Amino acid sequence: MDTVPPTPPPPSANDAPPLPRLPTEILVTIFQHLPMADLAQVRLTCHHWHDTICYTSSLMDKFVLSFKNCRLYEGCEQCRILAKSKSVYTKATLKAVAVENAADTLWCALGEDLQDLTLNDCSISGETLVRLLRCTPNLRYFALKTTKFEEFHINNVSVDFRLEKLETLTLRSIFVYDECFAMFRQICPRLKVLKLNYSSFEGWGEKLVQFVQTVRGTLEGINLSYTKIGATLLHKLATVDRLRLKKISLKSSYDLKQRDIIQLSRLQPSIVHLNIDNLFPADDQILSEISRNLPNLKRIKLHICRVHNLQQSFLGNMRRLEYLKITDATHVAGNLDLSAYENTHLEKLYVSAATFSRNTLPRFFEKSPNIRSLTLYQCSYENIHDLQLSFAHLKKLEYLNLQRTFDIDDSFFSRTVFDSVNMPFERIRFFPVTNLTRLCYLNLSRCRDLSDETLVAISFPRLKKIDLRGLNITDFGVRALVRQCPRLEYVHVDACKRICDSAVLMLCRDLRRLKLLNLDGCRAITDASIEHVIAHCRTSLVWLNMMNCPLLTDEAKHRLEGVRSIRSLYV
């Protein structure tokens, strides 16, 4: 008699085959699209995902190790945690930190992988700084900003190392001692960019000249904005043998005159980026000299005074310009005439305080159709329709800043206009704003005649950042904004006095990618707005400003500290 074999028991959960792993390359591609806060959570999922993130430099670059308002010393809590951690950081920022002599363990744990290090408003001694830099051999960017040195003596420590990979050195808003220049002169053999804006130094800058002489073979850019550099020091720097500068910034260095800039352009014809903004109003003479001496110029920032012919004296020779920032110091209509300038290379234009004559803007933009970034700050127009007509030629525009344009009102974005420039004898209507299909940034702050009607009219599906500071808008306009611009990540509605809790609800609930929200001075919002932030912005929001909102209670403000994604909170 045949026997029936017993039925095998069902497989247990422990016998189930393991789930297949995605290849590391696919995981990296997926993780590249995650913001830093989500990436930190994903890293805790499993060992495989943790190792994939920690050992992929492009992913770890999203993480910044930050120390704020603390003391770093041997055996401190931060040192103990980092010594046990397996995380690798390429960027670190110290803000308002007292760095003490005995914190060597911390730098040994971090140093090998650090490529970007910033010390902001810190206190540190010269000897501690030397020991810190010795532990960071792969550093590419180093910045000292508003850092306090009680004294800068390095007699008791040997400078026996070199930062071969360091390319950018920033010494901002500090007093640079001669010994500091001497130290960096020894350890920075391949420096490319030196930034000294807002800083001062001993004597007339002899050690600075010696430092530049040492790195002349690789140095390409120097920033001396807001310093007291004079004609003598600038001449000595410009005449350093075999120095070929490409970038120099002298913004607000008020001791310099026009003749000094002309001489600089003769001595350093390799300059392609020149910033003499807020220095002096340039006239026909200096504009003509710059255009002749710097034929390869790609970026320039300057003020102009009354000029006879801007095209003939300057712009006509600047065929390779990619970025032009120009401020009209005269406020005279027609002084800044760009209509004859033709440049297909121009990508960024910043114009401030100019008054444009009729028909000049459309003709200019027709000849410069590749502009991606346009700022017209506090400009005025004989005919505001010229600005509307200009949009017909700016189909590649991604960045538009019309801050303090008092000539525009709600009809600017909502109504059609006549093309009277290209079709002077035909009444052809068109809707110019529809051309801005690539727009990612829009600044309409302080345009006092704009209201909800403007927000109803604009529809930019790619828009990520918008600044509506000081506008007379309500929740009605905000409802239209979040519906028509769903990709918004950065929203400034500060000083909008009619913004209320329902508007904050729509911003927090409907903008899934919201990272920054500025509500400073929105005096009508209450604790309910804080509840909306807590309920809907726990994962994406990283920056929040709710200062000067008198109806918010201290208890509600304290609850915001529980939103872990917010890294910068101002209440």
Side-chain angles (χ1 to χ4, degrees):
M1 182 175 179
D2 296 334
T3 59
V4 179
T7 304
S12 65
N14 294 330
D15 298 329
L19 292 174
R21 280 187 177 184
L22 284 175
T24 302
E25 295 79 6
I26 295 179
L27 282 176
V28 170
T29 303
I30 295 172
F31 293 159
Q32 291 283 8
H33 297 279
L34 296 180
M36 188 274 292
D38 292 343
L39 204 59
Q41 293 294 324
V42 167
R43 193 167 55 166
L44 303 177
T45 304
C46 64
H47 289 292
H48 178 49
W49 287 15
H50 178 275
D51 293 342
T52 299
I53 294 172
C54 288
Y55 294 109
T56 305
S57 59
S58 60
L59 296 176
M60 285 305 298
D61 284 345
K62 295 186 178 185
F63 293 91
V64 179
L65 180 64
S66 179
F67 299 101
K68 293 183 180 180
N69 303 307
C70 63
R71 289 171 55 235
L72 295 181
Y73 55 91
E74 192 69 27
C76 66
E77 182 181 5
Q78 294 87 344
C79 293
R80 294 197 303 270
I81 293 174
L82 285 171
K84 298 178 181 179
S85 172
K86 296 181 180 180
S87 298
V88 175
Y89 296 95
T90 59
K91 298 180 182 179
T93 300
L94 281 65
K95 185 173 183 180
V97 173
V99 185
E100 300 188 2
N101 294 338
D104 293 346
T105 303
L106 174 65
W107 310 123
C108 291
L110 293 175
E112 287 289 335
D113 302 292
L114 274 185
Q115 298 179 17
D116 186 321
L117 177 61
T118 299
L119 274 63
N120 190 352
D121 196 22
C122 297
S123 60
I124 188 172
S125 68
E127 294 181 356
T128 302
L129 179 62
V130 172
R131 284 197 287 267
L132 182 158
L133 293 175
R134 180 185 282 112
C135 297
T136 56
N138 297 311
L139 211 58
R140 296 181 181 274
Y141 174 90
F142 178 62
L144 286 172
K145 301 179 180 180
T146 326
T147 297
K148 308 175 187 67
F149 292 105
E150 295 181 1
E151 57 181 13
F152 197 93
H153 296 302
I154 54 176
N155 301 328
N156 298 325
V157 61
S158 59
V159 185
D160 54 357
F161 62 96
R162 302 178 79 181
L163 301 178
E164 298 282 353
K165 298 181 180 180
L166 188 66
E167 297 181 349
T168 302
L169 174 63
T170 299
L171 304 174
R172 177 187 172 98
S173 300
I174 68 173
F175 183 81
V176 187
Y177 292 91
D178 284 348
E179 280 191 82
C180 184
F181 274 131
M183 178 194 70
F184 284 115
R185 183 183 175 188
Q186 287 183 252
I187 66 176
C188 305
R190 303 181 187 278
L191 198 67
K192 291 184 178 181
V193 179
L194 175 63
K195 299 181 180 181
L196 294 169
N197 35 330
Y198 293 97
S199 291
S200 56
F201 28 79
E202 292 188 58
W204 56 267
E206 180 182 2
K207 296 296 182 181
L208 170 59
V209 175
Q210 293 176 1
F211 181 32
V212 171
Q213 288 174 337
T214 302
V215 296
R216 62 192 174 190
T218 57
L219 191 67
E220 297 178 353
I222 185 167
N223 189 332
L224 295 167
S225 297
Y226 299 96
T227 64
K228 293 185 177 180
I229 181 173
T232 302
L233 178 55
L234 182 63
H235 179 74
K236 288 184 176 295
L237 291 172
T239 54
V240 170
D241 188 32
R242 297 196 300 278
L243 176 65
R244 299 292 181 267
L245 287 178
K246 292 183 179 179
K247 305 176 184 179
I248 186 165
S249 178
L250 300 166
K251 180 179 180 180
S252 299
S253 299
Y254 297 114
D255 292 341
L256 298 176
K257 308 299 180 186
Q258 289 199 21
R259 61 178 180 272
D260 304 321
I261 304 302
I262 292 175
Q263 188 179 49
L264 171 68
S265 68
R266 291 171 181 167
L267 294 171
Q268 292 290 329
S270 57
I271 291 176
V272 293
H273 293 189
L274 176 64
N275 185 354
I276 51 175
D277 192 19
N278 204 24
L279 195 55
F280 48 73
D283 57 18
D284 287 291
Q285 180 187 3
I286 186 172
L287 292 175
S288 179
E289 285 280 354
I290 288 175
S291 66
R292 284 199 303 266
N293 299 333
L294 303 176
N296 298 318
L297 206 61
K298 293 184 178 180
R299 296 172 61 98
I300 187 169
K301 302 178 184 180
L302 75 165
H303 276 54
I304 62 168
C305 60
R306 194 75 173 105
V307 293
H308 180 261
N309 189 322
L310 186 62
Q311 170 69 16
Q312 183 177 347
S313 63
F314 177 62
L315 290 178
N317 297 325
M318 296 285 100
R319 299 297 183 184
R320 299 185 180 182
L321 273 184
E322 297 174 359
Y323 176 62
L324 172 63
K325 180 180 180 182
I326 190 165
T327 300
D328 190 354
T330 66
H331 305 281
V332 175
N335 186 53
L336 184 56
D337 185 359
L338 302 171
S339 59
Y341 185 43
E342 182 175 356
N343 182 359
T344 57
H345 298 287
L346 193 65
E347 295 184 352
K348 295 183 179 181
L349 175 67
Y350 185 115
V351 179
S352 176
T355 300
F356 292 102
S357 299
R358 186 180 296 270
N359 294 339
T360 57
L361 275 181
R363 288 171 179 159
F364 164 66
F365 288 122
E366 184 181 11
K367 299 173 183 177
S368 303
N370 294 319
I371 291 178
R372 295 185 297 104
S373 174
L374 174 63
T375 297
L376 299 171
Y377 176 80
Q378 205 166 347
C379 294
S380 55
Y381 310 84
E382 289 186 354
N383 183 4
I384 190 60
H385 297 317
D386 286 350
L387 182 55
Q388 291 176 299
L389 290 171
S390 299
F391 294 148
H393 308 291
L394 298 176
K395 296 182 179 180
K396 297 183 179 180
L397 196 65
E398 299 174 2
Y399 179 107
L400 177 61
N401 186 346
L402 299 176
Q403 186 176 0
R404 291 186 175 273
T405 303
F406 301 137
D407 294 337
I408 63 176
D409 55 21
D410 288 324
S411 64
F412 181 83
F413 286 99
S414 61
R415 76 180 184 188
T416 58
V417 296
F418 289 108
D419 187 348
S420 59
V421 178
N422 297 314
M423 299 292 182
F425 305 109
E426 299 181 37
R427 303 284 285 177
I428 297 180
R429 284 184 178 273
F430 71 106
F431 195 46
V433 177
T434 57
N435 285 311
L436 307 182
T437 56
R438 299 187 181 184
L439 202 65
C440 297
Y441 174 93
L442 178 62
N443 189 337
L444 299 173
S445 63
R446 303 299 181 184
C447 297
R448 57 195 177 197
D449 292 329
L450 299 184
S451 65
D452 288 335
E453 291 184 34
T454 294
L455 300 188
V456 172
I458 62 176
S459 179
F460 303 122
R462 295 189 182 185
L463 198 67
K464 293 183 178 181
K465 302 180 182 181
I466 193 166
D467 193 334
L468 304 170
R469 183 180 304 129
L471 300 193
N472 188 31
I473 57 175
T474 67
D475 56 345
F476 177 76
V478 171
R479 182 181 294 108
L481 176 70
V482 299
R483 182 177 63 251
Q484 295 166 171
C485 305
R487 295 188 180 184
L488 279 172
E489 299 178 4
Y490 300 79
V491 178
H492 293 267
V493 288
D494 42 318
C496 296
K497 297 180 180 179
R498 300 178 66 187
I499 289 291
C500 58
D501 295 328
S502 58
V504 177
L505 171 61
M506 286 181 279
L507 291 170
C508 295
R509 181 192 61 199
D510 300 335
L511 297 179
R512 301 293 185 181
R513 306 178 183 184
L514 189 64
K515 296 180 180 178
L516 179 148
L517 181 59
N518 192 344
L519 298 167
D520 185 5
C522 295
R523 306 179 69 83
I525 64 175
T526 68
D527 289 350
S529 291
I530 291 182
E531 297 303 323
H532 299 328
V533 172
I534 295 174
H536 301 287
C537 298
R538 284 193 168 274
T539 58
S540 62
L541 195 67
V542 296
W543 194 98
L544 176 65
N545 187 344
M546 302 183 81
M547 297 181 66
N548 302 308
C549 301
L551 300 182
L552 299 181
T553 63
D554 292 338
E555 180 181 356
K557 293 177 184 178
H558 184 69
R559 292 193 61 196
L560 284 171
E561 297 177 1
V563 183
R564 298 185 61 182
S565 66
I566 299 179
R567 299 200 301 269
S568 298
L569 177 62
Y570 304 93
V571 290

